[in-house]
Amino acid sequence: MTFLHGKSTVVVTQSMALLPVRLKLIVILLLVCQLLCSTIAFGSVLDKDEEEFSEELLLKPLPDRKVLAHFHFESRAPPSISFGRHHHLFPKAISQLVKKFRVKEMELSFTQGRWRYEQWGGFDPISSNNAKPPGVELWAVFDVPQSQVDASWKNLTHALSGLFCASINFLESSTTYSAPEWAFRPDSGNLRYGTLPREAVCTENLTPWLKLLPCRDKAGLSALMDRPSIYRGFYHSQRLHLTATGSSSQEVDSGTVLEQTLTVVLQPISWITGKSYVDKANSQPSWSISSIFGRKVNGKCVLAKSSNVYLQFEKGLVGELKNLHKENANSETNKLASKDFLSYPSFELSVNPDKVFEEVDNLHSKSTSVLYEFSVEKYNDSHPLDLGLTWKIPVVWSCQQAPLHASRFLMGSGNERGAIAIYLKPTELSEGLKKSNIVDKSCELRVNVFQVVPWYIKVYYHTLQVFVNQQSRAVADVMEKIHVSPSKDKISPGVMEMILKLPCGLESAALNLEFDKGFLHIDEYPPDANQGFDIPAAIISYPDFHASMRFSEDGSLDKSPLFSKFQEKSLVLSYTEILLVPLTTPDFSMPYNVITITCTVFALYFGSLLNVLRKRVDEEERFLKSNAGRKTGRLSTLVSKLSAKLRGKPREPQPSTTASSSVSFKLIFKVLLVSGIAICWQYYFG
């Protein structure tokens, strides 16, 4: 008992000795957790703002009986010193992409259709920033040394290809991207630019784009994105613009602004015909949100800081409505206030707006735009927002266009050589420039031209010809600056950047460049090679013209990310058409024919040879004799015996010369056939 008691005493003593060690470990763990929490709290305190998300929708009627819908989503992540931070609203995939590849600025667009500058305008922030060429366009600016830019670009294309389920990884090849100097985006070092004109855009690209939103397409304005409604439109472009607002260092995570836009041009399915007129040729269709999207706005995304719907009447429409109102009222009053614009009998809104704004600081037009704001916060499932516009009289107007309208086309015929022509003609905006040119003869219009040509289109840049008012001009007289990077076979494309100085009163201008068509290896042809090869769209910009819109002097719209973007001066630019060039294409059916006939000859040769080698002549003769004996039958045997008795001679067996002769003839024929085939094969293909 004493031993047991002593043993128990020893156990209790050991447990008492271990207890302080456990307490020490617990205290240490608590201190570490408190230190981490304080570090995270300290890092969050240093953040100036929290993560924010906003959603906005801009609706605008167009002159050609269509409606423009522009969705704008913005997510902001402020700089933070915490490493591997957890994002509440900002998409983690984009944050990792910025930090890993040190992206300073990036823009990616998926576009189907072509923006019609003559009907839909070209001198406003939407057309300058969101009108993109068909297919995929990607450009990025990297915060890395010059030697690492190409490697970062290739890695970025692969990451974006997997993120958006597209063929963006094809842009990793040096033959598909370029490095513009100054014509595309001035003062942007380490810039790379690439396009895929033939990339098809479908729902598998829109779905990952929507997954970057906090509410995806389940709530808020993004719930209006019905796939059939969007993809039956005349034009749609989904765009992602990324900007790093801080330094991408190892200690501090840079702040990031993610701007997602979806621009759609739709034709209303049904409309209410006006009662006061019967001129359907000039009548504008009446529409509502439910008629163009098939859905209503059931409220905002609960994670959005702001959610608004805007209806914009542009300058030309407002001026035309005011003229019609004056004609109907037979009055010569001054222009009315923006709030009185609702009382015009020419149209009717199904929902009263919360606010009405009128554009200010408009320098290029006498009339101003009018903007109606509808807050989505006061709407819900039981009381959805279904904004509708009903026209009561026919209205005809035109959108404000860029100084020049640019178009591009091919000249020449055949598969050997050709020429690229860029044609510029003046628009309505050029009328004011013509008037100023009468007073000031030194008035000049500067035009930037940026063009990328694939390497198999061998452009001769010394053949550049410039025509002004259908008269040939010396290149030095109209050229202010030019930078040319000739293409290298299977290495890099050709790049041309130039600044033209054209007179303000020009009637037309044209540029011509001759080229030769190269030859591709059979492995370099795409599956649809007979369709032709695409030359990416050229970019025409005007350095002296900037598009911006400002709707209030008191700054009430400054909190709106959409109109804060519109207030920034954006360079007026436009994209030309994509050219389709037919190249010399080989007959891809010839390899199939060669393979087919070769396999047939081999089958006949080896089949006949193996058939001859595996057969035995003696066994075949015995087989033929047995078959011949079976065919004679009993009747023939009895007849032969009877004839032998009558003649008094013994019956002789029938010879099998026929069978043996046929066997030997077949054998000789097969051997000769195989030998002839072998000789022909050796003669023609050996």
Side-chain angles (χ1 to χ4, degrees):
M1 293 295 295
T2 304
F3 176 75
L4 293 175
H5 179 70
K7 185 177 180 180
S8 63
T9 304
V10 173
V11 173
V12 172
T13 304
Q14 292 179 353
S15 63
M16 291 297 293
L18 291 175
L19 185 59
V21 177
R22 294 177 180 176
L23 288 175
K24 290 179 181 179
L25 292 176
I26 294 174
V27 171
I28 293 173
L29 290 175
L30 290 175
L31 291 175
V32 171
C33 293
Q34 185 178 3
L35 181 62
L36 291 176
C37 292
S38 62
T39 304
I40 295 174
F42 180 71
S44 62
V45 168
L46 289 180
D47 295 340
K48 296 181 180 180
D49 300 317
E50 296 180 354
E51 294 184 0
E52 296 179 357
F53 171 73
S54 61
E55 54 179 4
E56 293 169 297
L57 170 62
L58 176 65
L59 300 173
K60 184 172 72 171
L62 296 175
D64 57 347
R65 303 169 57 85
K66 298 179 180 60
V67 179
L68 170 67
H70 178 69
F71 294 86
H72 185 275
F73 307 94
E74 184 176 281
S75 302
R76 287 180 173 269
S80 175
I81 65 171
S82 57
F83 182 77
R85 57 182 292 184
H86 175 71
H87 295 280
H88 300 281
L89 299 177
F90 198 85
K92 186 178 180 180
I94 300 298
S95 177
Q96 292 176 343
L97 185 139
V98 172
K99 187 170 183 61
K100 183 174 182 179
F101 304 117
R102 300 186 66 180
V103 179
K104 188 177 180 180
E105 189 176 5
M106 184 196 75
E107 183 174 290
L108 173 65
S109 63
F110 298 86
T111 307
Q112 180 174 329
R114 186 173 182 270
W115 183 268
R116 302 176 184 176
Y117 291 95
E118 294 182 339
Q119 289 86 13
W120 304 339
F123 200 91
D124 59 278
I126 292 181
S127 61
S128 297
N129 296 325
N130 298 278
K132 298 297 179 180
V136 172
E137 182 190 46
L138 173 65
W139 60 266
V141 181
F142 299 93
D143 188 15
V144 296
Q146 185 67 31
S147 60
Q148 302 178 8
V149 175
D150 291 334
S152 299
W153 168 266
K154 294 179 181 180
N155 294 329
L156 177 65
T157 57
H158 281 274
L160 293 174
S161 179
L163 185 62
F164 292 99
C165 192
S167 304
I168 309 176
N169 58 312
F170 289 165
L171 292 175
E172 70 163 348
S173 175
S174 60
T175 59
T176 57
Y177 68 88
S178 59
E181 294 290 338
W182 39 264
F184 179 65
R185 288 183 65 85
D187 301 330
S188 296
N190 296 341
L191 172 65
R192 294 295 181 269
Y193 174 85
T195 58
L196 294 174
R198 200 171 292 189
E199 180 71 15
V201 183
C202 59
T203 56
E204 65 181 5
N205 308 124
L206 181 61
T207 300
W209 185 85
L210 290 172
K211 288 183 178 180
L212 300 177
L213 302 175
C215 294
R216 299 191 178 184
D217 58 345
K218 306 302 180 183
L221 297 178
S222 58
L224 295 176
M225 297 182 185
D226 181 47
R227 306 304 192 273
S229 300
I230 292 176
Y231 286 98
R232 72 163 177 261
F234 292 85
Y235 172 87
H236 77 269
S237 176
Q238 61 184 66
R239 171 175 162 268
L240 183 143
H241 187 270
L242 187 66
T243 306
T245 58
S247 61
S248 301
S249 61
Q250 298 294 334
E251 294 81 8
V252 180
D253 287 343
S254 62
T256 310
V257 178
L258 176 63
E259 179 186 353
Q260 295 177 250
T261 61
L262 177 65
T263 306
V264 190
V265 177
L266 301 171
Q267 176 70 57
I269 299 177
S270 61
W271 56 85
I272 306 173
T273 57
K275 298 180 180 179
S276 60
Y277 64 92
V278 293
D279 188 6
K280 295 184 179 180
N282 297 328
S283 64
Q284 288 292 323
S286 299
W287 51 267
S288 63
I289 292 180
S290 59
S291 66
I292 59 178
F293 293 110
R295 301 176 182 178
K296 301 178 182 180
V297 182
N298 296 323
K300 73 167 191 175
C301 174
V302 295
L303 299 175
K305 183 179 180 181
S306 62
S307 179
N308 297 314
V309 176
Y310 301 96
L311 175 62
Q312 180 190 356
F313 286 175
E314 58 185 352
K315 305 176 182 67
L317 176 58
V318 173
E320 184 65 23
L321 291 176
K322 289 184 178 181
N323 293 333
L324 293 175
H325 180 69
K326 288 181 181 180
E327 293 177 0
N328 295 333
N330 295 324
S331 61
E332 296 296 336
T333 58
N334 296 328
K335 70 173 186 177
L336 301 176
S338 59
K339 294 183 179 179
D340 297 334
F341 195 74
L342 281 173
S343 61
Y344 284 8
S346 54
F347 67 94
E348 181 181 356
L349 298 179
S350 62
V351 181
N352 292 326
D354 298 326
K355 295 180 182 179
V356 182
F357 302 96
E358 188 174 3
E359 186 181 2
V360 295
D361 297 336
N362 186 19
L363 301 178
H364 300 285
S365 179
K366 296 180 180 180
S367 59
T368 58
S369 299
V370 176
L371 183 72
Y372 302 99
E373 179 181 339
F374 303 86
S375 179
V376 186
E377 295 182 358
K378 60 182 182 181
Y379 296 95
N380 49 36
D381 295 337
S382 59
H383 181 55
L385 173 62
D386 189 14
L387 174 62
L389 174 63
T390 303
W391 294 99
K392 297 183 178 181
I393 60 175
V395 183
V396 179
W397 78 95
S398 60
C399 296
Q400 190 175 6
Q401 301 180 16
L404 299 174
H405 176 71
S407 61
R408 189 175 61 159
F409 52 90
L410 292 174
M411 297 191 305
S413 61
N415 292 328
E416 185 177 359
R417 60 178 59 91
I420 299 175
I422 299 178
Y423 181 73
L424 304 173
K425 65 178 181 179
T427 59
E428 296 179 356
L429 185 61
S430 302
E431 297 298 330
L433 298 177
K434 289 181 181 180
K435 295 179 181 179
S436 63
N437 189 29
I438 297 175
V439 180
D440 186 6
K441 297 295 183 180
S442 63
C443 176
E444 292 181 344
L445 178 62
R446 299 170 65 211
V447 181
N448 282 5
V449 180
F450 173 70
Q451 184 171 236
V452 179
V453 181
W455 66 267
Y456 43 79
I457 304 297
K458 305 180 185 303
V459 179
Y460 298 108
Y461 294 99
H462 70 278
T463 63
L464 176 63
Q465 295 179 344
V466 181
F467 297 89
V468 178
N469 298 333
Q470 298 182 356
Q471 295 181 359
S472 180
R473 298 283 298 274
V475 177
D477 296 340
V478 296
M479 191 73 62
E480 178 181 336
K481 189 178 180 181
I482 187 171
H483 172 262
V484 173
S485 177
S487 62
K488 299 180 181 179
D489 289 353
K490 303 181 182 181
I491 296 179
S492 62
V495 181
M496 182 183 68
E497 304 173 79
M498 66 174 69
I499 299 180
L500 300 176
K501 297 183 299 181
L502 302 176
C504 294
L506 84 161
E507 298 178 357
S508 65
L511 285 78
N512 293 343
L513 278 171
E514 297 180 2
F515 65 86
D516 283 349
K517 301 178 182 180
F519 293 94
L520 300 177
H521 191 267
I522 190 171
D523 297 334
E524 297 173 345
Y525 285 92
D528 52 349
N530 292 311
Q531 180 182 352
F533 294 81
D534 296 309
I535 298 180
I539 302 176
I540 311 297
S541 58
Y542 309 92
D544 300 330
F545 293 86
H546 296 81
S548 63
M549 300 174 67
R550 185 176 179 84
F551 281 95
S552 62
E553 297 179 355
D554 56 353
S556 57
L557 282 178
D558 292 343
K559 296 181 181 179
S560 170
L562 174 61
F563 290 97
S564 297
K565 192 71 176 178
F566 283 177
Q567 291 177 10
E568 299 177 0
K569 292 185 178 181
S570 57
L571 186 66
V572 176
L573 57 85
S574 60
Y575 291 85
T576 64
E577 298 86 352
I578 294 175
L579 300 180
L580 189 64
V581 181
L583 296 182
T584 303
T585 306
D587 185 6
F588 292 102
S589 63
M590 183 57 67
Y592 172 77
N593 297 334
V594 172
I595 293 173
T596 303
I597 191 172
T598 303
C599 293
T600 304
V601 171
F602 268 100
L604 291 175
Y605 174 75
F606 286 104
S608 302
L609 181 61
L610 293 175
N611 192 20
V612 171
L613 294 177
R614 66 181 295 274
K615 283 186 177 180
R616 298 181 180 178
V617 179
D618 297 338
E619 293 181 358
E620 188 173 357
E621 289 181 354
R622 287 195 299 268
F623 178 74
L624 292 175
K625 287 180 181 180
S626 62
N627 289 340
R630 293 175 183 175
K631 290 180 180 180
T632 55
R634 295 181 180 179
L635 182 60
S636 59
T637 305
L638 292 175
V639 172
S640 61
K641 289 182 179 179
L642 181 61
S643 61
K645 288 182 179 180
L646 292 175
R647 289 181 298 177
K649 295 181 180 180
R651 185 176 66 89
E652 297 179 355
Q654 296 179 357
S656 59
T657 56
T658 305
S660 60
S661 62
S662 62
V663 172
S664 60
F665 177 75
K666 289 181 180 179
L667 180 61
I668 294 172
F669 176 75
K670 289 180 180 180
V671 172
L672 293 176
L673 177 62
V674 172
S675 302
I677 292 174
I679 293 172
C680 294
W681 176 267
Q682 185 68 23
Y683 179 78
Y684 288 104
F685 302 100

